Amino acid sequence: YAVLLMLEALHDILVPLAFSGLLAALFVPAVRWLEARRVPPALAILLCILTAMTVALGILLFFVYQTSALLADYELIRERFVDAYYAVLDWLRERLNLTREEHQDFVDEKTDQVMDALMTAGVDSVKVLGHAAMLFVLVPLYTFFILFYRKLFMRGLYLALRKTPPERVYEMVEQMRVVCGQYLVGVSIVLFMVAVAMTAGLLAMGMPNAFFFGIMGAILNLIPYLGIFSAAGLTAGYSA
């Protein structure tokens, strides 16, 4: 229990460290390749991190641009979701045999709940944005120092595991690095395939903003089970 409390208290530090460790494992081959070509270690690490940040910023700017395009159709989107909302309410009234007064009370109650949920979501969104901004700063810094001092970390492991032969320790670390790197590469391939498949399907159906919904669906697919259904629901709601 004490360990869980400590992890909860330190999650703001441990989460960026975990992301940084995964990214460092992914960048090690590229850093070694650059260092083998006489690129200074610090510069090699910076080049890898800046490349990754450029890709991340490109994806973020793409979503910002597509979101601004969606906001141009705000009234249309609002009308569609309002129509769908009242269609569900009418269906519930018929199924539950509610009177008009009971139906109106039900609508008012659910509307208040939705507004409270939206206000809570707005506050949570600000917290999430702040946390994301912190990650965007801390993760590159942690990744840089993990890669720059990786030989020092290895010496520390050798000392901590002095009863284990250094060759065995190095082999275990390399195996962990390869597994982490292969995991990230595999996830990236799956995201790419889902994005291409969804975008191609939406383009074939004449769906506007197909690239946005295709990439969004691929990213939401990272959430087990619920992600792909959420993406499908948003896409269907927009195109209805």
Side-chain angles (χ1 to χ4, degrees):
Y1 185 72
V3 173
L4 292 177
L5 287 177
M6 185 167 52
L7 290 175
E8 175 65 23
L10 297 176
H11 78 279
D12 287 337
I13 298 175
L14 296 178
V15 171
L17 276 176
F19 277 112
S20 302
L22 286 174
L23 289 177
L26 185 65
F27 292 158
V28 164
V31 172
R32 287 176 177 173
W33 185 85
L34 289 171
E35 289 176 346
R37 281 149 184 81
R38 300 178 182 273
V39 178
L43 181 58
I45 297 169
L46 280 176
L47 286 174
C48 293
I49 293 176
L50 288 176
T51 301
M53 292 181 67
T54 302
V55 174
L57 281 175
I59 296 174
L60 179 62
L61 290 175
F62 170 79
F63 272 100
V64 170
Y65 173 77
Q66 290 293 322
T67 302
S68 63
L70 286 176
L71 290 178
D73 299 329
Y74 170 76
E75 288 299 328
L76 178 61
I77 297 172
R78 178 178 174 276
E79 290 177 3
R80 288 176 176 174
F81 277 99
V82 168
D83 291 342
Y85 173 72
Y86 281 106
V88 171
L89 291 180
D90 291 338
W91 181 83
L92 288 174
R93 185 182 66 177
E94 293 176 0
R95 294 290 179 179
L96 300 177
N97 295 320
L98 298 176
T99 64
R100 184 171 296 276
E101 290 77 13
E102 291 173 334
H103 178 255
Q104 187 60 44
D105 292 338
F106 179 79
V107 171
D108 294 339
E109 179 185 356
K110 294 304 177 184
T111 301
D112 292 338
Q113 292 178 0
V114 170
M115 293 303 295
D116 292 339
L118 288 176
M119 291 181 64
T120 303
V123 175
D124 291 340
S125 298
V126 174
K127 294 180 180 178
V128 169
L129 288 175
H131 190 64
M134 182 182 68
L135 286 178
F136 198 76
V137 174
L138 291 180
V139 169
L141 285 175
Y142 288 164
T143 304
F144 176 85
F145 287 115
I146 289 173
L147 288 170
F148 190 76
Y149 293 108
R150 64 186 187 276
K151 295 181 180 179
L152 187 61
F153 293 148
M154 289 301 301
R155 292 176 187 170
L157 279 177
Y158 294 151
L159 291 175
L161 303 173
R162 59 174 61 91
K163 294 183 179 180
T164 305
E167 296 79 9
R168 179 58 180 163
V169 175
Y170 180 80
E171 181 183 351
M172 290 189 296
V173 172
E174 279 297 299
Q175 288 177 351
M176 291 175 59
R177 182 192 64 77
V178 170
V179 169
C180 291
Q182 289 177 345
Y183 168 76
L184 290 177
V185 171
V187 169
S188 301
I189 292 174
V190 171
L191 289 179
F192 178 76
M193 293 176 64
V194 172
V196 170
M198 286 191 66
T199 303
L202 294 175
L203 286 173
M205 293 186 295
M207 172 81 177
N209 300 302
F211 288 98
F212 173 78
F213 286 105
I215 296 176
M216 181 189 67
I219 294 175
L220 288 177
N221 192 48
L222 291 172
I223 304 173
Y225 304 110
L226 296 178
I228 194 67
F229 291 109
S230 300
L234 291 172
T235 305
Y238 178 76
S239 61

